[in-house]
Amino acid sequence: MSGTSEGPGPAPDSVRSPVTERDSGSRTASELRDYRAAFNAAHLAMAVVDREGLVVAANHAFATLLGAEPAALVEQAAADLVDLAAEARTWHAYLEVLRGRQARLRCTRRLKHPDGHSMWTEVTLAPVPDSRNVLMSVADVSDRRDLQARLRHLQMHDPVTRLPNRALFFERLSAALESSSYGSGGTGRIGLCYLDLDGFKAVNDTLGHRVGDRLLAAVAARLTQCADQSGYGRSGGHLVARLGGDEFALLVEDSTGTEQLADLAKSVLAALQKPFDLAGQRLSVSASIGVVERATAGTSATGLMQAADTTLYWAKADGKARWTLFDPERNAHRMTRQALSSTLRPAVERGEFALEYQPLVDLESGAVRGVEALVRWNHPQFGTLAPNRFIGIAEEDGSIVQLGRWVLRTACRQARQWQLDHPAAAPVFVSVNVAVRQVWDSDLVGDVAGILAETGLAPQLLQLELTESAVMGSAGRPLQALQALSDMGVRIAIDDFGTGYSNLAYLSRLPVSVLKLDGSFVRGFRYDDGAHPNPADETIVEALVQLAHRLGLTVTAECVETAGQAARLRRVGCDTGQGWLYSRAVAPDRIAAMIGVCPLRDLPA
């Protein structure tokens, strides 16, 4: 039921119906008869009401509407006849019209017809000019209401699956979050299973949209069955909706906890994994489901859907055909990643980055031959961050070019400073990691040449490290850049060698100077933990070292942690080692103290 009122103003001429003798005034008896005849013959139900709210006169349509004779309605309370007192706001507006303080009232009321059926009516009241009476009219709007309801149903439901659509889903979700009934017997919690079909696009592309629509309708039926069987939600069950495309949602009001949602998600997966028979087509599909369950207090529709969308993404990333529960810690990591991405570029300008250096030690003499520059981000909110927390982000958004240029300049300047501070010692080279995007998106050759000229560092004291997967298949610009850098005197190293494609052909055509063996090979050399080392590891490393030496390359072993590993690496001919046996990554002044010290650490014979 609803009611509206309008402010004071002159009543239209159409309501001037002097149907009572006391208001006849100067009008003739003939005019009164004409007005009375029109009033009684009108199809619109009408009644004249005095300022006390009592019916003065009623026409035949009004009496028929209420199943009474017109004379029987006189002196009855008009408000009782059309249920105006059922709503406080409408009742107050009605009284204001009777007192002449409000020009009009229009409201909708549901009345019972004499034959027993209910009908929707629109009740209008307005003052009769030059009179103390009020004209009430009552129109049957049931057909219009039915049409509006049908149109709303069409507007709020998906034509393919007949499920509630996105608009109705969000309307129901918002109502559930705002409902006050949680304080009286409800759980105060809400749950959501947000899913889409794995590989649905392939069905549409290969079998056509007609088969795709049949599949969606069949999926909708199984989802509805799962919701009905779980039967926990209020108002007769959960809401199942199609949000668009192959995306569906199951809303669980008054959730009893994550276990309930997990059971529902499992039943959905099991139901959808059974084959579908569609007009001669037998199809098998699966679904990925994001599951979110939380208290309604403090939860918004937007926040709930964002969490569900994130969790659905996790389910797909974890391998599809599974359900995944929202994990606040995992989400916090994602949010941290977003925060880092948005602040990475200005962080370079603010000077929030610093370099630490890890020694590269000659395995024969124990002397420091070089250092690898490792960047750290001194983040004002998250503290000191290692490269694995932000380098991937920098590569994705392109800020690696700006950051990489800063690292290169800082490392070269530091290497030159060590050389100037220790003129009697053999100069130490610096190794800098380069992302493949730096080769594509910047003038790496020009940057290196300019920085070497600016810092005064000899090209032979700079080593650039690229991963094996980055240089695999290098052609065109990357190959030209690597060749130009090599011609300049800069050394090119392949980092994490042995973990990528392991296609040795590129070693003969790329200007590579150094192979850095991945630490997984070196870890197999350990005796210290009581396990017998795998002899195959030593055989592989020895073969790689011999191959590298025949090609004129030097070999660095990463992750050297024990003296036993160092001894075996030295025995198979490996040139340099890097790892915690010698030092972690440290500040520049600690490296300065190591330069010229030989051996850096006592090594076994």
Side-chain angles (χ1 to χ4, degrees):
M1 301 181 185
S2 62
T4 60
S5 59
E6 300 176 6
D13 293 339
S14 60
V15 299
R16 294 181 180 178
S17 177
V19 295
T20 59
E21 278 72 1
R22 69 175 110 166
D23 296 322
S24 59
S26 61
R27 295 182 178 85
T28 65
S30 175
E31 288 177 318
L32 287 175
R33 284 195 301 272
D34 291 343
Y35 278 123
R36 185 178 291 111
F39 175 77
N40 287 325
H43 292 290
L44 178 64
M46 292 184 289
V48 177
V49 182
D50 64 19
R51 293 300 171 101
E52 301 301 321
L54 302 178
V55 175
V56 175
N59 68 359
H60 292 291
F62 191 87
T64 301
L65 185 73
L66 299 178
E69 292 296 325
L73 298 177
V74 176
E75 299 298 327
Q76 291 198 35
D80 294 341
L81 297 176
V82 291
D83 199 25
L84 293 181
E87 189 178 83
R89 182 178 176 184
T90 301
W91 174 250
H92 176 74
Y94 169 65
L95 295 179
E96 292 295 284
V97 173
L98 292 182
R99 294 165 184 162
R101 299 174 184 170
Q102 183 169 309
R104 183 179 294 267
L105 167 66
R106 180 180 289 114
C107 63
T108 303
R109 282 290 174 269
R110 191 172 188 177
L111 304 180
K112 194 167 187 178
H113 195 273
D115 65 8
H117 79 272
S118 295
M119 59 182 174
W120 285 98
T121 62
E122 185 176 82
V123 179
T124 304
L125 292 103
V128 177
D130 304 323
S131 168
R132 293 177 55 83
N133 296 335
V134 174
L135 181 66
M136 173 189 289
S137 63
V138 183
D140 186 349
V141 294
S142 298
D143 291 342
R144 187 175 73 191
R145 292 276 300 204
D146 289 344
L147 177 60
Q148 289 174 341
R150 288 196 296 270
L151 291 176
R152 173 176 166 78
H153 183 86
L154 291 173
Q155 182 184 12
M156 293 294 187
H157 286 76
D158 170 52
V160 174
T161 63
R162 302 185 184 275
L163 290 177
N165 62 13
R166 190 179 192 88
L168 182 54
F169 170 79
F170 275 99
E171 182 179 291
R172 175 80 171 266
L173 173 59
S174 298
L177 293 173
E178 296 171 2
S179 174
S180 60
S181 65
Y182 290 116
S184 55
T187 64
R189 302 189 69 81
I190 195 164
L192 178 64
C193 290
Y194 182 36
L195 67 98
D196 74 3
L197 303 180
D198 301 323
F200 176 73
K201 184 177 183 299
V203 174
N204 264 345
D205 292 345
T206 57
L207 302 178
H209 289 277
R210 180 173 298 181
V211 175
D213 286 349
R214 289 175 181 169
L215 176 59
L216 291 174
V219 167
R222 293 191 185 180
L223 293 179
T224 302
Q225 185 179 22
C226 289
D228 291 342
Q229 289 174 347
S230 65
Y232 290 107
R234 64 182 178 177
S235 301
H238 309 307
L239 176 72
V240 182
R242 182 189 177 198
L243 302 188
D246 61 341
E247 296 179 359
F248 296 85
L250 288 84
L251 181 66
V252 181
E253 300 177 49
D254 282 339
S255 164
T256 59
T258 56
E259 184 176 350
Q260 177 194 352
L261 269 294
D263 289 343
L264 179 59
K266 291 174 185 176
S267 70
V268 167
L269 280 181
L272 296 184
Q273 285 173 350
K274 298 176 183 177
F276 291 86
D277 291 314
L278 305 173
Q281 296 283 351
R282 188 173 177 85
L283 300 177
S284 295
V285 298
S286 62
S288 299
I289 308 176
V291 179
V292 182
E293 200 278 341
R294 59 180 53 171
T296 55
T299 297
S300 66
T302 300
L304 187 69
M305 290 307 299
Q306 285 177 342
D309 185 65
T310 297
T311 313
L312 174 59
Y313 171 81
W314 293 343
K316 286 191 169 295
D318 292 343
K320 301 182 180 179
R322 68 189 62 219
W323 64 274
T324 300
L325 184 65
F326 180 77
D327 181 355
E329 185 174 336
R330 186 174 181 180
N331 187 60
H333 179 76
R334 181 183 69 89
M335 298 299 291
T336 300
R337 182 180 174 87
Q338 291 178 346
L340 294 179
S341 178
S342 64
T343 58
L344 207 158
R345 288 179 184 274
V348 179
E349 300 171 1
R350 290 194 296 263
E352 294 178 5
F353 291 93
L355 292 186
E356 291 182 346
Y357 302 88
Q358 188 172 32
L360 300 171
V361 178
D362 187 299
L363 286 171
E364 283 293 337
S365 67
V368 176
R369 296 302 183 199
V371 294
E372 180 179 355
L374 298 169
V375 64
R376 303 285 187 262
W377 186 355
N378 297 317
H379 197 281
Q381 179 180 356
F382 303 115
T384 301
L385 303 179
N388 62 342
R389 292 290 303 277
F390 58 86
I391 290 298
I393 300 173
E395 290 178 347
E396 290 175 7
D397 67 12
S399 58
I400 190 66
V401 173
Q402 180 186 13
L403 177 59
R405 191 178 291 122
W406 177 87
V407 171
L408 186 64
R409 177 177 288 106
T410 304
C412 289
R413 183 182 295 120
Q414 182 61 67
R416 177 57 177 162
Q417 189 62 50
W418 285 324
Q419 188 179 11
L420 294 175
D421 292 343
H422 301 82
V428 173
F429 71 86
V430 64
S431 189
V432 177
N433 291 278
V434 175
V436 68
R437 189 160 183 175
Q438 290 176 259
V439 183
W440 280 106
D441 294 0
S442 68
D443 181 9
L444 182 62
V445 177
D447 287 344
V448 170
I451 290 172
L452 290 177
E454 172 190 329
T455 60
L457 185 69
Q460 294 76 15
L461 296 180
L462 174 62
Q463 177 174 289
L464 300 181
E465 295 186 21
L466 292 90
T467 62
E468 183 178 353
S469 57
V471 297
M472 267 299 299
S474 292
R477 182 175 178 179
L479 179 57
Q480 295 170 7
L482 295 179
Q483 189 61 59
L485 291 167
S486 179
D487 293 343
M488 193 187 300
V490 174
R491 297 196 292 182
I492 306 297
I494 304 301
D495 195 14
D496 299 330
F497 183 78
T499 60
Y501 300 93
S502 299
N503 184 344
L504 301 179
Y506 69 84
L507 292 179
S508 63
R509 62 183 182 85
L510 291 178
V512 177
S513 304
V514 180
L515 296 184
K516 296 190 72 176
L517 296 183
D518 184 71
S520 60
F521 293 112
V522 179
R523 293 189 189 99
F525 281 23
R526 294 192 65 163
Y527 284 99
D528 310 61
D529 56 8
H532 193 280
N534 186 348
D537 288 329
E538 184 170 337
T539 302
I540 292 172
V541 171
E542 185 175 10
L544 290 175
V545 170
Q546 290 177 358
L547 173 64
H549 287 171
R550 285 179 177 271
L551 294 174
L553 311 179
T554 59
V555 180
T556 298
E558 299 177 305
C559 300
V560 182
E561 298 178 355
T562 68
Q565 289 173 324
R568 297 185 71 197
L569 288 167
R570 185 167 62 253
R571 187 163 61 247
V572 298
C574 193
D575 301 291
T576 56
Q578 174 183 1
W580 290 358
L581 172 64
Y582 309 110
S583 173
R584 297 172 182 258
V586 294
D589 58 339
R590 295 283 301 279
I591 296 295
M594 300 177 192
I595 295 176
V597 176
C598 187
L600 179 61
R601 173 175 290 223
D602 291 333
L603 299 177

